[in-house]
Amino acid sequence: NAENYFLKSLAIDEEMADSLGMAESYNNIATVYQNLGEDDSALDYNLKAFRIRELKKDKAELPSTLSNLGIIYMDKKDYLHAGEYSIKALHLYKENADSMGVALGYANLGDLYESEQQFEKSLAYYDSSVTISNKNKYLDYLSYNYQHLSIACAEMKNFAKALDYHKLYMTINDSIFNKNSAQQLIEMQTKYETEKKEKEIIKSQAESEKQTNLKNVFIIGFILMIGLAFFIFRSYRKKKNNNEIITEQ
């Protein structure tokens, strides 16, 4: 379904000759194929997005496309191209002063060197990502980095450090869980209050309608009574006049 809608979006972008819109659609389609494990198709669409964004000098969105290309090449075990695109992405994130992007860029390079089993290098990049993530409270990135720092240390037989990082990983995960739970409770409370308010509004509207209906019934009844009284009075006057005429005759 996602692929279907993104392809429809792409068709509209092409019809409007919206090249940056096409680049975004290419990126979205690439993500679908990436999630399906179809790396060749994902690479093809990401390269299409990359060419447009590079041509248009789209500095805001180009880093994410470069980052995606780095990840795909990493999955394909083409570490040379993976490193090339990942480093370019990191430089652009820095130029854009995008702290979250920089944290991601460092983590991606950590993954690259971890995949190549160059654990010393991977530690350095994960550490850099941790520094930025800690400063900006990027809990998801912290969790990811601590987990991989633990793995790297274990691979290097530094089990004490691996355990320390694993404890930090578990602590952050607990924080994320508690944060998500708190958010869910807030959302549930908000939903409850909203539904309660809606019910009160509906009840108030029903009461108001009831009062309006009663008022309308009273007014109609009063008008009918006046009409009936007028009709009786007119009949009485007419009868009295007739009696006077008869008496006079």
Side-chain angles (χ1 to χ4, degrees), residues 41-72:
S41 297
L43 180 61
D44 181 47
Y45 278 101
N46 258 318
L47 285 170
K48 287 179 180 179
F50 168 68
R51 292 185 195 106
I52 292 172
R53 285 177 168 162
E54 192 175 43
L55 183 67
K56 292 287 183 178
K57 301 188 186 320
D58 183 12
K59 280 186 66 177
E61 298 298 334
L62 186 55
S64 64
T65 302
L66 289 166
S67 183
N68 288 341
L69 284 168
I71 292 167
I72 293 168

Side-chain angles (χ1 to χ4, degrees), residues 76-138:
K76 291 169 70 68
K77 302 191 186 309
D78 184 345
Y79 299 125
L80 182 65
H81 282 101
E84 178 189 336
Y85 284 110
S86 296
I87 289 167
K88 282 182 180 177
L90 179 59
H91 287 325
L92 277 178
Y93 281 132
K94 286 180 177 179
E95 280 182 27
N96 292 344
D98 180 351
S99 60
M100 186 174 280
V102 173
L104 173 65
Y106 280 130
N108 285 343
L109 285 166
D111 289 346
L112 172 64
Y113 289 113
E114 184 183 82
S115 300
E116 293 184 287
Q117 305 217 330
Q118 297 185 44
F119 298 112
E120 286 282 359
K121 284 186 177 180
S122 73
L123 282 172
Y125 282 108
Y126 287 133
D127 270 330
S128 297
S129 185
V130 163
T131 301
I132 295 167
S133 301
N134 254 326
K135 183 181 177 182
N136 295 282
K137 302 289 187 294
Y138 300 145

